[in-house]
Amino acid sequence: MKRALMIIAALILLIAASAVVFFLSIEAADVEGFEYKPNQKTIIFSDDGEEIGEIYEENRTYVTLDRIPEDLKNAIVAVEDNRFYIHNGFDLVGITRAFLTNFRAGTISEGASTITQQLARNIFEEISTEKTAARKIKEIKTAVMLEKRFGKEQILEMYLNEIYLGGGAYGVQEASVRYFGKNVWELNLAQCALIAGLPQAPSAYQPDVYFDRAKARQEKVLQRMVEEGFITEDASVGAKAEELEIRNSSSEEKVGRYKKNYEAFIRTVIDEYTEIYKDANYIDKDQEARSEALESLKRDGLRIYTSINAKIQEKAVESVSLAIENYSLTEATGAIVTIDAKNGAILAYYGGTSDIDFASTPRQPGSTLKPLIYSAALQEGIIQENTLLVDRRTDFNGYSPSNFSNRYYGYVTIRQALVQSLNIPAVQTMNDLGIEKTLSYLEEMGIQTIDKEDFRLPTALGGMTYGVTPLDMATAYTIFANGGAKTDPWSILSVDGSNGRNIYRKNLSQTEDDNIIDEDIAEYISGILVDNVVRGTGKNAGNKFVTGGKTGTSSESKDLWFVGFTGNATTSIWLGNPDRKGIGGSGSYCAWGYGEYMSNIGDYLLNSNYNLVSGESGYELETIYVLLDENAISGGSPYVDETMIAELSVLEEDLHFFENVRVLRVEVDRSTGKLFAQGKCLEKDKEVRFYLPENVPEECDKSHILDRLREIFQR
Ligand SMILES: [Zn+2]
């Protein structure tokens, strides 16, 4: 018997000893080398100070303890760990009480962790929440170490910033904003108690989803506060009776929250940040840079100040939807990009309503490349400003394009070719300039989506493999508003770290200003594009400011474009169907949207240094008639058949270009073949004829008295 007792005692001793050895064998987490650096979200701002997006994995804004209300601190202590200020990280009294409670209830409903243990679990990943003995011991040891290194105040501050409080909110500040739309220091007792109730089961108590549960929990917290002597019974009753207004928030995605209509822009901001991060950290691999940059955005609490202007963006988005509405393009979406041609700042960037960012998706550009091709040809001296281009059906080695209107004008100026968007002169010019040369110019101007299949003449009319993105299109047109130099677009002006210190700033003097075309060529083509908006295919873009631009329409109206500039704000608008079905209409729809855009935002731009000029552009145009073909006069006829004539509107200063092909439109008296004399010749004999200037007949000198008498008698 005694022997048996001794064996039992020895066994107990052995078990106890091995328990001690086991306890000792487990090490605490590395509290010494630990520095509390909670993940903080990155906030993205517009140029005019609006918050346009947040990037985070844990949506958190750090607040110091002095900004957290006493009621909230007390409520947390009362409900989570009432002996917090007494214990040294581990609470034997608390754990015994919890054990007994659980034992009686037959469940494990009451957690036995101190605030310090919970913090230890949250900040040291290696302590899992699983309730195995080893992990529990590690948690306790770590908590005790934390208490030794940090004071109670610091531990409470870390805890209140660290904990998850449901609805995607980490820390008490984010939860206050999330549920009450207030800063944490603005909360009253009732609100503090509600938040303090959440750590136990943040998802189950999430107030905007399970309000009744959250309310019941809040009342329990208030009760505990009374029991702990933090508040009076009266205060508790008052707080319980108070009506709680909980904010609803639908967006809970883990990677962040973007303001509506800024989704595509923020993606370009992330791309640009990746490039900045890659350069700053000497990373070679794109993939590596991408994932590290994303981690940095989710964790580092950056403030990113971007180029986009919220006012301009709002009107830009509006102009796209207005155009879609105005022309009942029910299945269409659209994209718009505005760039400051002087420095490359992206002022507006909208990729449409679908998941695809159409501002960065290449689509067939239609006629929008024509001004770029003429510019390149002028730069290379292939054509001059006074060159007459030939507009007649031409076979380019089996490729014979036709004009949109199916009319041909014979000889035309570059101005006429652009304003009427004639196809043959554009193809001819590309042919003369050379295909390789043309495409190398387009690439230099900023078009990044050129395919090897694009090295052929149909590219002049926008027949490309992929096409051009609205962003590249707006970039290319900066040459017209910037004296011949292309400006590279950018979106990030500066980045500050979470401590407020600047870590990146865009070097604005860095923008290249190597001219792609000479300033006078840029001015010449700009002038024509302004003319095009005054009277040509871009007429719908007209507004009270001097505006230039070009429309584009791809085959079967699958893509509608307007690319233009007002002052140095350069814009491209694209409309089309995501599935590339035709939507009907033409680029003039986009021009109309542009007109609305400038009417709405022009005054703002005028006052914001974008060099807008209000008023008419003042082009005096004359209508003239020209031969379609120099050999049109034949068969000995003194005048030219009407079918061989084209009517043109020409700037007075361009008239001399047409010396050799110009004909005069006159009215003649058919009975005499002389010029019709008003009041003398008979109306029935009046006929319109076209003569070379030297062949115009003299005025009719016949009296016609007999003719008139004959007429009276015949009646
Ligand atoms: Zn007559």
Side-chain angles (χ1 to χ4, degrees):
M1 192 64 190
K2 199 178 175 193
R3 200 183 153 84
L5 276 172
M6 272 185 65
I7 290 169
I8 289 167
L11 268 175
I12 289 171
L13 253 167
L14 193 68
I15 290 166
S18 45
V20 168
V21 168
F22 180 61
F23 183 85
L24 293 174
S25 71
I26 293 162
E27 278 180 41
D30 179 20
V31 174
E32 282 313 308
F34 166 74
E35 195 189 338
Y36 186 56
K37 242 172 54 189
N39 288 346
Q40 289 198 69
K41 65 181 171 184
T42 287
I43 304 178
I44 302 170
F45 296 94
S46 72
D47 179 53
D48 44 347
E50 272 198 37
E51 199 180 308
I52 57 171
E54 297 173 343
I55 301 172
Y56 52 76
E57 199 148 61
E58 295 176 359
N59 184 19
R60 171 186 290 114
T61 304
Y62 195 89
V63 280
T64 48
L65 200 62
D66 58 314
R67 311 203 75 177
I68 297 170
E70 287 301 317
D71 281 339
L72 182 51
K73 292 186 263 183
N74 291 338
I76 283 282
V77 168
V79 76
E80 285 297 330
D81 183 4
N82 65 321
R83 291 165 42 80
F84 173 67
Y85 292 106
I86 305 163
H87 64 65
N88 65 342
F90 171 61
D91 184 15
L92 197 59
V93 178
I95 205 164
T96 312
R97 192 181 57 202
F99 175 77
L100 291 175
T101 309
N102 290 340
F103 185 76
R104 275 197 298 268
T107 61
I108 40 164
S109 61
E110 193 161 314
S113 293
T114 64
I115 281 175
T116 322
Q117 279 171 268
Q118 290 182 46
L119 177 66
R121 212 157 51 206
N122 269 300
I123 58 185
F124 294 104
E125 275 174 19
E126 64 259 45
I127 305 171
S128 160
T129 48
E130 274 180 63
K131 287 176 181 172
T132 70
R135 282 174 180 142
K136 203 71 190 167
I137 292 164
K138 196 178 183 78
E139 177 186 303
I140 291 166
K141 284 189 162 183
T142 306
V144 173
M145 296 284 284
L146 279 172
E147 290 270 347
K148 275 187 193 150
R149 194 180 147 195
F150 302 99
K152 292 284 179 191
E153 298 263 286
Q154 260 178 295
I155 284 170
L156 190 59
E157 179 173 308
M158 287 189 267
Y159 177 83
L160 291 170
N161 278 292
E162 181 64 32
I163 41 170
Y164 181 56
L165 295 163
Y170 289 79
V172 291
Q173 165 65 4
E174 214 49 61
S176 303
V177 172
R178 170 73 172 74
Y179 298 128
F180 299 115
K182 285 179 172 182
N183 291 306
V184 65
W185 52 93
E186 296 167 321
L187 298 189
N188 62 28
L189 172 61
Q191 293 163 335
C192 286
L194 183 112
I195 294 216
L198 302 177
Q200 194 191 50
S203 299
Y205 292 137
Q206 191 179 321
D208 56 339
V209 185
Y210 305 108
F211 179 77
D212 291 346
R213 290 185 198 166
K215 178 66 184 152
R217 176 74 180 158
Q218 177 232 26
E219 294 185 2
K220 191 182 171 193
V221 172
L222 288 164
Q223 203 44 52
R224 289 288 305 130
M225 289 178 82
V226 175
E227 288 162 21
E228 292 298 321
F230 288 127
I231 55 168
T232 63
E233 185 69 43
D234 277 1
S236 160
V237 170
K240 282 177 189 167
E242 196 172 317
E243 201 174 314
L244 291 164
E245 254 186 67
I246 307 293
R247 273 205 336 173
N248 236 317
S249 171
S250 52
S251 65
E252 277 175 35
E253 41 174 340
K254 289 275 181 179
V255 288
R257 186 162 50 201
Y258 308 158
K259 196 173 164 190
K260 192 168 188 286
N261 298 331
Y262 285 87
E263 298 87 348
F265 177 70
I266 287 173
R267 267 178 254 155
T268 73
V269 169
I270 293 173
D271 289 346
E272 200 165 308
Y273 180 74
T274 302
E275 287 304 311
I276 292 167
Y277 188 91
K278 192 178 161 192
D279 289 348
N281 296 285
Y282 307 103
I283 302 173
D284 294 329
K285 295 197 184 87
D286 280 348
Q287 199 49 48
E288 194 181 320
R290 178 85 192 171
S291 66
E292 280 191 33
L294 261 178
E295 279 310 304
S296 155
L297 287 168
K298 287 174 186 171
R299 174 189 68 209
D300 292 344
L302 307 173
R303 298 290 178 272
I304 299 183
Y305 301 94
T306 70
S307 61
I308 206 160
N309 180 293
K311 287 177 204 71
I312 301 175
Q313 174 77 353
E314 184 194 336
K315 296 302 175 189
V317 174
E318 196 179 291
S319 69
V320 168
S321 31
L322 277 175
I324 289 172
E325 219 177 280
N326 190 49
Y327 296 103
S328 308
L329 307 172
T330 45
E331 284 176 50
T333 184
I336 182 167
V337 176
T338 299
I339 297 173
D340 180 340
K342 290 288 166 209
N343 61 23
I346 297 174
L347 304 171
Y349 185 105
Y350 173 62
T353 43
S354 76
D355 287 339
I356 303 163
D357 171 10
F358 281 102
S360 286
T361 302
R363 297 286 296 230
Q364 297 301 331
S367 293
T368 52
L369 298 180
K370 285 173 183 167
L372 306 175
I373 292 170
Y374 290 122
S375 297
L378 284 163
Q379 183 65 26
E380 289 295 310
I382 301 298
I383 51 174
Q384 278 77 40
E385 292 182 13
N386 63 0
T387 299
L388 284 187
L389 306 168
V390 181
D391 180 47
R392 69 169 70 97
R393 280 199 161 279
T394 312
D395 188 311
F396 300 92
N397 272 328
Y399 172 53
S400 43
S402 52
N403 277 344
F404 189 70
S405 62
N406 238 333
R407 284 192 58 193
Y408 301 87
Y409 296 84
Y411 293 95
V412 293
T413 55
I414 299 169
R415 175 180 301 276
Q416 197 68 27
L418 266 176
V419 169
Q420 285 187 269
S421 200
L422 302 174
N423 286 341
I424 288 103
V427 175
Q428 182 73 59
T429 302
M430 177 170 174
N431 189 58
D432 294 349
L433 175 59
I435 289 170
E436 297 271 337
K437 197 93 200 159
T438 304
L439 284 151
S440 86
Y441 264 96
L442 292 178
E443 194 163 22
E444 219 184 319
M445 288 165 178
I447 293 166
Q448 304 175 69
T449 47
I450 293 169
D451 180 65
K452 60 182 193 307
E453 297 294 316
D454 293 336
F455 285 75
R456 53 193 197 118
L457 290 176
T459 297
L461 308 180
M464 299 173 72
T465 304
Y466 303 111
V468 182
T469 70
L471 176 62
D472 284 359
M473 207 52 141
T475 304
Y477 271 57
T478 59
I479 62 172
F480 300 123
N482 193 35
K486 181 198 75 170
T487 33
D488 288 321
W490 54 268
S491 63
I492 298 180
L493 181 64
S494 69
V495 179
D496 286 354
S498 61
N499 56 5
R501 219 174 304 153
N502 180 264
I503 55 178
Y504 169 82
R505 187 172 298 280
K506 172 81 186 169
N507 184 357
L508 285 175
S509 61
Q510 213 177 39
T511 31
E512 288 171 46
D513 51 7
D514 292 332
N515 278 31
I516 295 173
I517 54 170
D518 294 342
E519 194 165 357
D520 57 335
I521 294 172
E523 254 172 50
Y524 175 68
I525 297 290
S526 301
I528 293 175
L529 294 176
V530 170
D531 194 6
N532 184 41
V533 169
V534 173
R535 68 191 171 98
T537 52
K539 201 162 182 177
N540 274 347
N543 61 84
K544 65 176 176 172
F545 301 100
V546 173
T547 292
K550 182 77 191 76
T551 52
T553 311
S554 74
S555 61
E556 297 160 55
S557 300
K558 288 174 182 166
D559 305 278
L560 316 181
W561 291 86
F562 179 79
V563 194
F565 48 86
T566 303
N568 50 290
T570 302
T571 298
S572 65
I573 301 180
W574 167 86
L575 293 175
N577 226 327
D579 61 11
R580 294 177 196 268
K581 271 191 290 191
I583 57 170
S586 73
S588 64
Y589 290 7
C590 296
W592 183 87
Y594 185 92
E596 292 294 304
Y597 182 33
M598 276 307 134
S599 301
N600 286 327
I601 201 68
D603 285 319
Y604 175 78
L605 294 177
L606 183 67
N607 295 320
S608 316
N609 204 23
Y610 294 108
N611 301 341
L612 267 59
V613 176
S614 50
E616 294 297 318
S617 50
Y619 284 98
E620 291 286 337
L621 295 159
E622 195 170 318
T623 301
I624 64 164
Y625 300 89
V626 296
L627 292 171
L628 283 174
D629 190 314
E630 274 179 289
N631 307 313
I633 305 168
S634 61
S637 168
Y639 56 91
V640 191
D641 189 90
E642 206 178 342
T643 60
M644 301 302 289
I645 303 296
E647 180 185 310
L648 302 180
S649 299
V650 176
L651 265 191
E652 220 175 281
E653 64 194 65
D654 287 350
L655 280 177
H656 63 278
F657 299 158
F658 294 91
E659 267 167 21
N660 297 324
V661 288
R662 194 164 169 194
V663 292
L664 299 178
R665 177 191 191 273
V666 293
E667 290 168 341
V668 296
D669 179 344
R670 195 190 298 128
S671 69
T672 62
K674 301 265 177 82
L675 280 190
F676 191 85
Q678 208 63 44
K680 276 168 72 187
C681 302
L682 300 181
E683 281 296 323
K684 71 176 176 66
D685 291 328
K686 190 195 269 184
E687 186 180 309
V688 169
R689 286 179 188 168
F690 298 91
Y691 290 90
L692 289 173
E694 62 266 30
N695 293 346
V696 175
E698 288 172 358
E699 184 162 327
C700 182
D701 53 2
K702 197 176 172 188
S703 73
H704 290 298
I705 291 174
L706 287 175
D707 294 334
R708 284 184 187 282
L709 281 172
R710 199 174 299 129
E711 215 176 35
I712 290 163
F713 284 117
Q714 275 172 359
R715 255 180 217 167

